[in-house]
């Protein structure tokens, strides 16, 4: 696992652990999900499932190690695309089927990252350069869709997002 990823997860843990107890309880986990806009109707059952799967020592708390295991899980090519689409849709605040600099910047800020919009823009450009074949195929697909907003150099559509999420780090 990459050191930057570990550092980011530690930062998220410290944000979620509001009482600085060194572990995350169910209320803190609930607050974290509310921050990400998860509907409160689903929170209780979702948190119960998470606690069952993550709280390996059954103490009702998520330790830093358990939290790390939870957040270091990545999408893989075998994962259902509907999960990736759900994440993409939650990030797509203006509902244009594209993630733009402002939307990705907002996500980075929610995760406690201190990067500027220019760095987000550079990241998008890097992804575009990593996957030129996807972008060529997408252009042809977007031309077929009447009235759809075409991705630009400053946006990521779902196909590119899916490819990035499948990438091994």
């Amino acid at each position: 696992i990459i050191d930057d990823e570990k550092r980011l997860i530690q930062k998220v843990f410290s944000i979620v652990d509001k009482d600085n107890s060194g572990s995350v309880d169910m209320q803190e986990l609930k607050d974290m999900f509310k921050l990400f806009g998860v509907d409160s109707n689903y929170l209780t059952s979702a948190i119960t499932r998470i606690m069952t799967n993550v709280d390996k020592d059954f103490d009702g708390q998520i330790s830093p190690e358990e939290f790390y295991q939870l957040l270091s899980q990545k999408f893989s090519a075998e994962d259902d695309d509907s999960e990736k689409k759900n994440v993409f849709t939650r990030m797509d605040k203006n509902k244009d089927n594209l993630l733009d600099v402002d939307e990705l910047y907002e996500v980075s800020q929610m995760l406690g990252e201190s990067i500027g919009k220019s760095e987000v823009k550079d990241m998008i450009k890097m992804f575009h350069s990593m996957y030129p074949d996807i972008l060529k195929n997408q252009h042809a697909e977007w031309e077929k869709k009447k009235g759809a907003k075409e991705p630009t150099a400053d946006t990521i559509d779902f196909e590119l997002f899916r490819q990035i999420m499948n990438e091994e780090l």
Side-chain angles (χ1 to χ4, degrees):
I1 304 292
I2 297 173
D3 288 337
D4 286 343
E5 178 181 285
K6 195 165 197 156
R7 180 186 54 77
L8 175 61
I9 291 173
Q10 288 169 341
K11 187 185 287 188
V12 172
F13 183 85
S14 67
I15 292 168
V16 175
D17 180 22
K18 290 184 178 189
D19 63 3
N20 297 315
S21 65
S23 61
V24 174
D25 61 29
M26 288 185 76
Q27 184 58 49
E28 290 168 325
L29 198 58
K30 188 175 186 177
D31 293 343
M32 178 185 80
F33 279 103
K34 284 183 179 176
L35 176 71
F36 287 105
V38 176
D39 188 346
S40 60
N41 294 333
Y42 302 107
L43 276 180
T44 304
S45 62
I47 290 171
T48 301
R49 279 196 315 275
I50 289 169
M51 292 301 280
T52 301
N53 292 326
V54 176
D55 182 19
K56 299 299 182 194
D57 57 6
F58 305 107
D59 65 352
Q61 305 283 318
I62 297 176
S63 69
E65 296 79 22
E66 292 166 336
F67 193 79
Y68 181 77
Q69 288 299 315
L70 172 66
L71 291 191
S72 66
Q73 296 172 3
K74 295 186 178 50
F75 287 119
S76 71
E78 293 80 36
D79 284 338
D80 186 352
D81 278 349
S82 66
E83 292 179 39
K84 295 171 200 146
K85 184 66 174 176
N86 189 2
V87 170
F88 181 89
T89 301
R90 288 186 185 279
M91 293 168 65
D92 182 19
K93 298 291 186 191
N94 61 11
K95 305 299 178 207
D96 62 356
N97 294 315
L98 299 169
L99 298 179
D100 61 29
V101 172
D102 291 332
E103 290 163 332
L104 291 170
Y105 174 76
E106 182 179 336
V107 170
S108 75
Q109 297 306 295
M110 282 194 306
L111 293 174
E113 283 299 306
S114 57
I115 62 173
K117 288 185 180 182
S118 64
E119 291 171 283
V120 173
K121 195 172 189 174
D122 290 343
M123 180 182 68
I124 294 171
K125 286 180 185 175
M126 179 191 70
F127 290 138
H128 280 246
S129 69
M130 289 172 61
Y131 304 104
D133 292 341
I134 289 176
L135 296 171
K136 285 179 195 172
N137 293 339
Q138 289 170 347
H139 182 70
E141 289 297 315
W142 281 94
E143 284 184 347
K144 293 177 190 174
K145 297 176 183 178
K146 301 290 184 213
K149 188 174 176 184
E150 184 173 357
T152 66
D154 294 336
T155 61
I156 294 175
D157 73 353
F158 177 70
E159 287 306 312
L160 182 55
F161 177 81
R162 186 172 61 81
Q163 185 65 37
I164 294 165
M165 293 297 105
N166 289 341
E167 188 71 28
E168 285 293 323
L169 296 178

